[in-house]
Amino acid sequence: MHSISRREMLGATLAGVSALSTANLVKAEDIQEELVRPENFKGEVKQSVCKWCYGGIPLEEFCVICKKMGLVGVDLVDPKDWELVGKHGLTVTMGNVPEVQIRVGINRKENHDRIVASYEKYIPMAAELNVPNVISLSGDRKGLDDQTGLQNCIEALKRVASIAEKYKVNVCLELLNSKDHDDYMADRVQWGIDLIKGVGSERVKLLFDIYHMHRMEGDVIYNIRRAYDCIGHFHTAGCPGRKDLDDQQELYYPPIIRAIKDLGFQGFIAHEFLPKDSVRSLYNAMKLCDL
């Protein structure tokens, strides 16, 4: 899900992001003192953030802000920017891979060679630049039944797994809701569990997007617990509307994060919501999830 394809799929939403008043965009030098005090955070939950949600802030400026705020990394970053993020002492917690897109994915065999070739190129690069995870996506159904699509995805990811195992990089297939992303195949937790078990590699996991799976199925904590062995990464957002993690949404994140923490999760939890108040919204989300 590289940034271009994500913009293509969420064009209307991103238009709203780019329309944010520059008055609401906090520059690194303007971050208020309370946002940069290390004692503000316990830091036991490794929190990251998806850059596309802050489209109005240049990446280098955003990295400075993230570092000052105590985030450990930036999520969904294109390969051309992996080195830049690392130079700021941050981890690219989920790397995008060219050819890996929402609409055209690994559920169709005719896409396998092209997509696997992209992983062959970028997984070694991820290993070299200390990018621990790269993304995978199922693609849309387009009339394909879920069982056939599942087997096709397993076949492709088994090929990718051998590369991931060699370079010790994780490949995480994202579960998305098929209400926002109409016709997307990997839209159910059980389908994702069956996929990961079918591949059978410790280097192939699910990206469990809490917002998306809440939209599809609810029972967030229950589903996280039953799928836990298959999960390698998390995304957050408020619901409805993919907005702030505040009291205006129906998800309450502290018990969700506590459940994840109690399961022993050692990976990253990346915020992927459209902020109402730019960096202030991100700071509030960090505080809420810093258990």
Side-chain angles (χ1 to χ4, degrees):
M1 191 183 303
H2 59 82
S3 59
I4 293 175
S5 66
R6 188 175 288 266
R7 281 197 297 271
E8 290 169 352
M9 298 317 306
L10 298 175
T13 302
L14 286 174
V17 174
S18 63
L20 281 171
S21 168
T22 55
N24 291 329
L25 296 178
V26 181
K27 294 183 179 180
E29 62 267 25
D30 297 331
I31 295 178
Q32 296 181 18
E33 185 64 26
E34 67 266 24
L35 297 188
V36 298
R37 292 175 183 164
E39 63 269 22
N40 278 4
F41 295 99
K42 301 180 185 71
E44 295 178 15
V45 177
K46 293 189 286 188
Q47 297 187 58
S48 177
V49 60
C50 296
K51 172 61 177 73
W52 75 268
C53 302
Y54 298 82
I57 307 176
L59 178 59
E60 188 144 22
E61 188 77 25
F62 191 64
C63 287
V64 174
I65 291 170
C66 291
K67 187 67 175 178
K68 284 189 174 183
M69 290 178 68
L71 287 158
V72 300
V74 184
D75 217 70
L76 297 178
V77 179
D78 290 338
K80 65 181 179 62
D81 295 319
W82 290 355
E83 188 171 3
L84 172 62
V85 173
K87 284 181 178 178
H88 285 274
L90 297 166
T91 299
V92 175
T93 51
M94 182 63 64
N96 292 323
V97 176
E99 303 296 339
V100 177
Q101 302 178 17
I102 293 174
R103 295 297 189 190
V104 183
I106 57 173
N107 61 346
R108 292 187 176 276
K109 291 188 177 184
E110 59 265 31
N111 300 327
H112 286 186
D113 288 348
R114 174 175 52 82
I115 291 174
V116 171
S118 195
Y119 282 116
E120 288 174 338
K121 178 177 179 179
Y122 289 102
I123 285 178
M125 179 178 170
E128 181 180 353
L129 295 175
N130 298 311
V131 176
N133 306 301
V134 294
I135 200 162
S136 180
L137 296 154
S138 68
D140 289 349
R141 291 180 173 90
K142 296 180 181 177
L144 186 67
D145 69 273
D146 284 5
Q147 188 59 35
T148 300
L150 174 66
Q151 294 305 315
N152 290 346
C153 287
I154 290 171
E155 179 181 318
L157 286 174
K158 280 186 174 181
R159 292 173 62 184
V160 176
S162 62
I163 311 165
E165 289 165 2
K166 177 180 178 180
Y167 289 96
K168 297 181 172 56
V169 171
N170 302 316
V171 177
C172 298
L173 184 132
E174 185 167 13
L175 300 174
L176 302 174
N177 81 74
S178 54
K179 298 174 182 178
D180 295 343
H181 298 283
D182 180 49
D183 203 39
Y184 184 73
M185 181 169 282
D187 64 350
R188 296 284 175 174
V189 174
Q190 188 59 55
W191 191 97
I193 293 172
D194 292 343
L195 172 75
I196 301 307
K197 290 184 176 179
V199 176
S201 170
E202 284 300 310
R203 289 294 174 181
V204 178
K205 296 289 185 181
L206 296 176
L207 194 174
F208 191 104
D209 189 302
I210 295 165
Y211 159 78
H212 282 296
M213 288 302 94
H214 176 68
R215 288 269 284 145
M216 289 303 297
E217 300 184 58
D219 285 337
V220 168
I221 293 175
Y222 166 78
N223 278 319
I224 288 172
R225 285 174 175 161
R226 76 186 183 96
Y228 177 69
D229 290 343
C230 299
I231 297 172
H233 197 74
F234 287 95
H235 279 170
T236 76
C239 188
R242 197 198 278 274
K243 297 294 186 181
D244 293 24
L245 314 189
D246 60 16
D247 60 1
Q248 300 303 305
Q249 48 115 12
E250 61 195 27
L251 283 166
Y252 184 53
Y253 270 89
I256 297 172
I257 302 301
R258 187 173 297 111
I260 293 170
K261 184 178 175 182
D262 288 347
L263 285 165
F265 184 68
Q266 298 297 312
F268 301 100
I269 298 175
H271 299 295
E272 192 186 17
F273 63 87
L274 298 170
K276 299 175 185 176
D277 189 19
S278 192
V279 174
R280 172 66 60 178
S281 293
L282 178 56
Y283 173 81
N284 291 336
M286 289 176 63
K287 287 292 291 181
L288 189 68
C289 296
D290 185 55
L291 303 180

